[in-house]
Amino acid sequence: MAVRAFQLPVSYSSAGAGVVIDVRPFAVGLTFLSVLALFLLSGQMLNLIGIPYDAAGGSPLVKIHPASYLSAPALMAWIITDGGIAAFLVRSWRESPGLIVFFLAIGLLAFQVIFVQKTPISQVTDNFVLTACLFASLVRLGPGEMRSLALLVQGILVINSLLGYAEVLGGFRLTPLYANGELLSWEWRATALLGHPLMNAMTTAVCLVSLALGAGPFRQGPRLFLVAFHFGALSFFGGRTAMVLSAAALVVIASVMGARLLLGRRFSLVTATTAILATTFLVIGVILVVDGGLIDRILHRFVDDDGSAMARVAMLSVFRDMSWPEVVFGPDVAAVKAMLPRIGTPLAIESAYIGFVAYYGGFVTLFFLMGLAAFFGELVRRFGPSVLMPLGIYFVISTAISSFSTKSLELALLTTLLITAFACRRQSPGGAPPC
C-alpha cells in the first residue's frame, strides 16, 4: 500500500474524453514523505548536512523544516481530494471540530507574530501549522495506508532507541549537540535520530506507554517486548521526568492488567512467554547498565541537575521588568531573549507555558491554549480515554522544558505517533482491528 502511494496517479476515462487525474495518491505520498522528514531530519541533522536550520545565518527559508514544506502541499492535495475548500471545511467541522478551532488559534498566533511582534514565522510554522496539516492528512488515510505508516513510524522509533543504546555504549554520537553555537562535548546522553536527548526521551516515553496501553499494529507479545526495549532506551536519553512518568504509568497499567487476570481474564501462552522474555531482557539490561557505570550518570542526573531546578525558579523573574500591558499583550521578544542570560536561563525558559506568556503575552496564550486543548480533545474524542495517559505525560514534561514555546517538532511528533498508534491498535479476538 505504501508503494502504491507513489505510483503515477493517471488514468483514462472509459468514454475516451482524455486523461483523468486522481489526486489522492499524491496526497498519500506527500503525507508519507512529511512523516519521514519529520522523524529522520532533526534540526541537528539538518545543521550537520549544511542546512543552518537551528544555526546562525542562512536564508529565512531554511529555518522552516522540510516536513512543513511537504505537509502544506499534502494538505492542498487532500483539499482537492475532498472536493474543494468548502467541502474540506464542512467535512473537517463535521468530523474534527477541534482541528478547526486549532487552526483559528494558529491564525491568531500568526497575526501576533507577523503584524504585532514582526518576528520570523518559522516557529509558528514548524510547531503548529505542521501539526495541524499532519492531523488533517493522517485522519484521511485508509486502513491499509494507516497500517503501513504505523509500521513505518514504529520501525523508525525502534531504530532510534537502538541508536540510543549504541551511542552511549559505543561512545559516539550520530549528530553533535550544540547550545548557542558551542559544542556540548561533556554531554553523554544520546541524540539518535530525533536530535535532542529530551526530544528522544519524550517521544520514546509516549511511544512505550501507548504500546503498553494496547496501541500500535502489533500483537501483544511483540508489544510487551518493545515496551521493555524502549524503557531501557530512556536511560540512554537521560530524561528524568520521562523515566519517572513512564515507570509510574507502567506500574498503573501492570496493576490493572494483574487485577483483571486475578478476576479470571484469560491469556495466551505466547503472551506469557513474551512477558517473561521481556522482563528477562529488562533485567539483563539493568545489570549491563550498572556494570558499565551508566547508573552513576543516571543517578547524577537526579542528585545534581546542573542548575536546572534553579533555572526553572529563576525563569519567573522574566516578568519582573515587564509592564502589565507587555505581560498581557506581548513584550519585545528580542528584549526577553536578551534578558534570559541575566536571570540564569541562558538557553530558553524551561516551561512551555511560562515561555509562551513571556514571548507572546497572556492574552494570546490564553486563547491559543484553548485552541490547543480543543485539538487534544479531538484526539481523545477519536481514540478514547486511553489517549489521556500519553497526553498527560507530554503535558507534564512540557511544563519542565521549553517545548512548543520555542521552535520545536514535539507537537508534530506527538500527534503523528498517537494517531498512527491508536488508529491501528488491535482489539480483542472477537473484533477486527481498525486497520
Side-chain angles (χ1 to χ4, degrees), residues 4 39 48 56 70 79 93 97 110 118-119 146 173 177 193 197 364 373:
R4 289 175 57 194
F39 280 86
L48 183 65
L70 289 166
I79 290 174
W93 180 253
K118 297 180 174 60
T119 55
M146 181 65 80
R173 176 164 285 139
L177 194 60
L193 294 175
V364 171

Side-chain angles (χ1 to χ4, degrees), residues 265 425-433:
R265 181 175 180 176
R425 59 184 162 183
R426 288 180 173 270
Q427 297 178 346
S428 60

Side-chain angles (χ1 to χ4, degrees), residues 253-342:
I253 295 170
S255 299
V256 172
M257 293 177 63
R260 289 176 178 174
L261 290 176
L262 291 175
L263 292 174
R265 181 175 180 176
R266 302 183 67 179
F267 61 92
S268 67
L269 182 60
V270 174
T271 300
T273 303
T274 306
I276 294 172
L277 289 174
T279 304
T280 304
F281 171 80
L282 189 59
V283 171
I284 293 173
V286 171
I287 293 172
L288 291 175
V289 165
V290 173
D291 184 63
L294 184 61
I295 192 66
D296 296 329
R297 294 178 178 179
I298 297 172
L299 291 176
H300 178 75
R301 290 277 301 159
F302 285 91
V303 175
D304 183 5
D305 63 356
D306 294 322
S308 295
M310 290 300 297
R312 290 182 176 94
V313 174
M315 69 184 177
L316 297 175
S317 303
V318 74
F319 301 108
R320 184 176 53 198
D321 297 328
M322 292 184 192
S323 63
W324 277 110
E326 286 179 320
V327 174
V328 174
F329 297 108
D332 181 357
V333 176
V336 172
K337 291 183 177 179
M339 191 190 308
L340 296 183
R342 298 200 304 270

Side-chain angles (χ1 to χ4, degrees), residues 85-95:
I85 185 66
F88 173 84
L89 290 175
V90 169
R91 177 181 174 182
S92 296
W93 180 253
R94 184 178 66 250
E95 298 179 357

Side-chain angles (χ1 to χ4, degrees), residues 52-53 57-65 69 120-123 126 407:
Y53 173 75
S59 166
L61 295 177
V62 302
K63 305 301 181 183
I64 296 176
H65 196 273
Y69 283 116
I121 196 65
S122 58
Q123 183 170 317
D126 286 351
K407 189 165 67 172

Side-chain angles (χ1 to χ4, degrees), residues 41-81:
L41 295 176
S42 66
Q44 288 77 8
M45 180 63 73
L46 291 173
N47 294 336
L48 183 65
I49 63 178
I51 301 175
Y53 173 75
D54 275 335
S59 166
L61 295 177
V62 302
K63 305 301 181 183
I64 296 176
H65 196 273
S68 297
Y69 283 116
L70 289 166
S71 68
L75 179 63
M76 285 187 255
W78 285 114
I79 290 174
I80 296 173
T81 302

